[in-house]
Amino acid sequence: MRRKQVGFAAALFAVGVIALTACGQGAAQSGSASPATESSSEAQQASAEQSDVDFLRGSANSNKADQNTGDRAPATASPEVKQKWVELRVADAGGLEPAVVNGKGLSVYWFSDDPVKGGVSNCNGDCAKTWPPITVTKGTKLFFPGIKRENIGFVKRQDGATQVTIGGRPIYLFGKDEKAGDIKGQNVGNKWFVINPEGKRAVAPAEAPATQPAPPASGAKPANSVTFFSGKNFDDFSGNNFATGVKVEAKCGDLRGGFKSLSPDGAVKIWSEPGCKGKSTVVSDDVADTAALGFPDGVKSYIRA
């Protein structure tokens, strides 16, 4: 479901698969970067109110994004094709969970030399060849299952491109990561770290404090639609996992099987058994793993709350 559009300055630079150069390799090992010359973060943030990007619920797959564009476009595709869409989703990245990955499942990183909420990226030039920034332009569709909308923002880069931030931190890929689950950039130079959905360092589950999904916000509007995923962490691009979007009504709706993560657009009541029976709870935010709610076999029915 379409979210409220957010404005930002138009940018024409696209992130692609970039060959690592010898100088870029050095940046990867040392974490060195070319400082940005922008002097006013307020001016940069103000420039983010000029044009449009579409924030959409669910995943690229559930929104039927073209598989040959956006994050999954071939390396030879044009910048316009590569920026059709960007996906940022919660996942397990090489044993770090929750972590953020892109639409190809590649791990997403933050750079300790970038000031938090500073409105600037300090990874430019050769650094950006090794650590391609995740950028958007006018009309980019941005899918963000598992990440709170308020945690996503933008900064203006030195080259004029608009880079996505999570928790106020500009985000990047690592040129040496080749497949989903790779975290070859983790702790490089003690400056680069896989990011979590709040903009902090992703850690192994054993190191993270136990958390429960947030209860529904007071006065949360009833959901009109929900995207259910058969795998946890909104997984619909590997194995047998898939996503199904449903319209939520004031009558019980059954699912075919148990779905272990969900992304609603408002408050929805879920049950552990078909026919709105068994264990139940109300949620109004994304749930990455229903086991945390006491639904180890997933959600099997639902109704508008």
Side-chain angles (χ1 to χ4, degrees):
M1 177 176 177
R2 188 175 293 262
R3 280 287 188 89
K4 181 178 180 181
Q5 294 183 335
V6 172
F8 61 92
L12 299 178
F13 177 80
V15 174
V17 178
I18 303 175
L20 301 179
T21 64
C23 189
Q25 293 276 5
Q29 295 304 317
S30 66
S32 62
S34 172
T37 57
E38 302 283 353
S39 61
S40 171
S41 63
E42 290 184 2
Q44 290 176 357
Q45 296 294 354
S47 70
E49 302 300 330
Q50 306 299 319
S51 199
D52 296 328
V53 61
D54 290 339
F55 283 82
L56 300 176
R57 277 207 169 272
S59 64
N61 285 356
S62 67
N63 280 285
K64 297 180 172 57
D66 187 335
Q67 299 298 295
N68 294 312
T69 65
D71 288 353
R72 301 175 197 170
T76 55
S78 68
E80 293 77 15
V81 169
K82 291 178 179 178
Q83 288 192 311
K84 289 289 186 181
W85 58 267
V86 169
E87 182 174 68
L88 300 170
R89 67 188 304 154
V90 175
D92 177 332
L96 306 179
E97 184 182 5
V100 176
V101 301
N102 79 345
K104 290 182 68 176
L106 296 176
S107 302
V108 176
Y109 297 85
W110 60 273
F111 182 33
S112 65
D113 282 3
D114 290 340
V116 182
K117 298 182 180 179
V120 65
S121 164
N122 283 315
C123 179
N124 298 283
D126 287 337
C127 176
K129 295 178 181 179
T130 302
W131 302 91
I134 294 178
T135 61
V136 291
T137 190
K138 181 177 180 178
T140 297
K141 292 179 171 59
L142 200 158
F143 312 111
F144 55 108
I147 302 174
K148 292 184 181 297
R149 168 63 191 89
E150 58 265 30
N151 286 341
I152 300 174
F154 306 95
V155 297
K156 189 74 169 293
R157 290 184 54 75
Q158 197 176 69
D159 61 7
T162 300
Q163 185 172 359
V164 184
T165 66
I166 296 178
R169 297 183 185 276
I171 55 176
Y172 309 80
L173 301 175
F174 182 45
K176 291 185 177 181
D177 284 347
E178 298 173 342
K179 63 184 183 303
D182 282 353
I183 53 171
K184 297 175 183 177
Q186 176 70 351
N187 207 32
V188 167
N190 200 30
K191 288 178 177 288
W192 294 90
F193 307 98
V194 177
I195 200 165
N196 77 6
E198 297 179 347
K200 301 176 182 178
R201 189 184 304 193
V203 298
E207 303 174 48
T211 59
Q212 295 287 332
S218 176
K221 66 180 181 65
N224 289 310
S225 65
V226 182
T227 302
F228 289 98
F229 302 82
S230 63
K232 70 175 186 176
N233 291 330
F234 317 97
D235 188 0
D236 64 359
F237 62 91
S238 64
N240 295 319
N241 293 313
F242 60 96
T244 182
V246 300
K247 182 178 180 181
V248 184
E249 299 178 328
K251 62 180 180 179
C252 185
D254 285 345
L255 296 165
R256 295 183 178 180
F259 288 74
K260 297 185 177 180
S261 54
L262 63 144
S263 178
D265 69 349
V268 59
K269 191 170 185 178
I270 55 176
W271 272 270
S272 61
E273 302 297 335
C276 292
K277 297 178 181 178
K279 182 180 177 65
S280 67
T281 191
V282 176
V283 297
S284 60
D285 208 348
D286 290 357
V287 177
D289 186 359
T290 60
L293 295 172
F295 292 67
D297 296 324
V299 178
K300 297 181 180 179
S301 56
Y302 59 92
I303 195 170
R304 183 179 295 169

